[in-house]
Amino acid sequence: MTGKKGAKKLKIVLFTGYACNNNCVFCIDADKRALPQKSTAELLRETVRARNRGAYILEIIGGESTIRPDFNRVVAAAKKLGVPQVSCATNGRVFADPAAAKKIVASGIDSIIFSVHGPNARVHDALTRAPGSFAQLKRGLENLRALGFTRIGGNTTVVKRNMAALPALARFYLKHGINNVEYIFVDPTYGGAKNNFGKLVPRISEAAPYMRAALALGRAAGMDQWKARYVPLCHFGDCLGQISETNERKLFLTEHWAPDFRNTDAIGSRAAVSRQKTARCRGCKLYGACEGIWAEYLKVYGDRELKRMK
Ligand code: SF4
């Protein structure tokens, strides 16, 4: 196995299905909960296929993949096949149970990305609509530390309700020593944020200062892998080295294997279909590097906030 496709590494995002024990208000999968879950046999077949395609990273996601009884089996199968990096994105609740945390670590998983949407239960649980979910993810982080598992990342979906809390959330990540964090400007293309756009989606000019403040706190603490995702670059001029898309375009080819679709160029199709630059971008010095902003965003707020960079 090469682990590479050309000069870039191949990352396969394996969706197990859309069932979840949280009910996040902005979830992109909000309208897909009832779709059938993949079977264990299907997932095991896909781990073989991923290895054969030369996947360097296999990221297992849901919904919430850790609530499946076969989660550890799928991780262990991928590791046994020799996939170099197996990770999962999770709401973190299952790790509150020390025995479950121990079994997942023993499966051989390489890294775990916690979705944290606020610095406290008030903000986080209001967004997940799952009372107790923040306390559980916090216990989960502590349990993983106690097991000596340190390859933990974080991701935060930025919406109106939590944007002012991002600096406090940055301090939460710092306290837990999380070196790999993404602050993700909410995607209104489908699901919860599309259905409740006005309530959830902030203007980029209002969200960006909080996102940059969070990134600055990370930089000051030596966190070199804290990034912003899905943002127009003109609002991030002082942290252009901390943009997820710029980084991932250089390093990865990404495929999405979901129950209801397969996308063999998730990075390229996002830039070509879901995000847009406008006439205001003409002549911008960052035009080539920038993906613009969500097309759905432009339909509602227009492009007045985009600022050609000279
Ligand atoms: S003006 Fe357009 S191309 Fe330039 S940084 Fe802003 S969104 Fe990107």
Side-chain angles (χ1 to χ4, degrees), residues 231-235 276-278 280-282 284-288 290-293 305-309:
V231 292
L233 299 186
C234 40
H235 287 271
Q276 281 178 5
K277 288 171 272 191
T278 76
R280 291 176 76 90
C281 301
R282 272 189 217 129
C284 175
K285 72 170 183 185
L286 298 175
Y287 194 93
C290 182
E291 293 185 7
I293 198 160
E305 297 156 286
L306 304 185
K307 304 173 287 190
R308 181 182 308 120
M309 301 292 276

Side-chain angles (χ1 to χ4, degrees), residues 55-257:
Y56 179 78
I57 300 178
L58 187 69
E59 182 177 324
I60 303 171
I61 69 167
E64 177 58 40
S65 56
T66 64
I67 59 176
R68 294 177 61 111
D70 58 5
F71 177 76
N72 294 341
R73 195 172 157 199
V74 174
V75 173
K79 287 311 295 177
K80 196 165 172 206
L81 287 162
V83 177
Q85 291 293 321
V86 179
S87 71
C88 78
T90 176
N91 61 36
R93 296 177 62 186
V94 78
F95 298 92
D97 172 2
K102 198 171 175 184
K103 279 187 194 149
I104 293 175
V105 169
S107 72
I109 196 153
D110 294 289
S111 59
I112 300 169
I113 303 152
F114 273 59
S115 297
V116 189
H117 303 303
N120 51 45
R122 186 179 53 79
V123 179
H124 179 88
D125 291 5
L127 290 171
T128 62
R129 295 184 291 189
S133 56
F134 183 78
Q136 286 183 326
L137 82 79
K138 227 173 111 184
R139 258 204 314 282
L141 287 171
E142 287 155 10
N143 287 339
L144 285 171
R145 292 275 163 196
L147 289 165
F149 189 92
T150 56
R151 294 176 308 277
I152 300 170
N155 73 45
T156 298
T157 299
V158 177
V159 290
K160 280 184 178 174
R161 185 86 185 253
N162 67 1
M163 62 184 180
L166 294 184
L169 180 53
R171 286 189 281 276
F172 175 89
Y173 282 133
L174 288 176
K175 186 173 155 206
H176 289 275
I178 299 181
N179 180 41
N180 203 319
V181 173
E182 282 194 318
Y183 298 95
I184 305 171
F185 189 69
V186 63
D187 181 352
T189 309
Y190 308 101
K194 182 176 168 76
N195 300 340
N196 294 289
F197 189 102
K199 206 170 156 201
L200 293 172
V201 183
R203 288 190 175 271
I204 190 64
S205 55
E206 289 170 6
Y210 295 117
M211 296 174 79
R212 291 202 315 272
L215 292 178
L217 282 166
R219 276 198 311 277
M223 297 295 184
D224 59 354
Q225 292 302 314
W226 282 25
K227 297 196 168 70
R229 178 177 273 283
Y230 301 153
V231 292
L233 299 186
C234 40
H235 287 271
F236 289 80
D238 61 348
C239 40
L240 292 175
Q242 289 177 280
I243 305 298
S244 295
E245 295 93 307
T246 313
N247 190 50
E248 76 181 355
R249 268 200 310 270
K250 274 189 230 142
L251 299 178
F252 298 112
L253 284 169
T254 301
E255 300 193 1
H256 286 180
W257 295 5

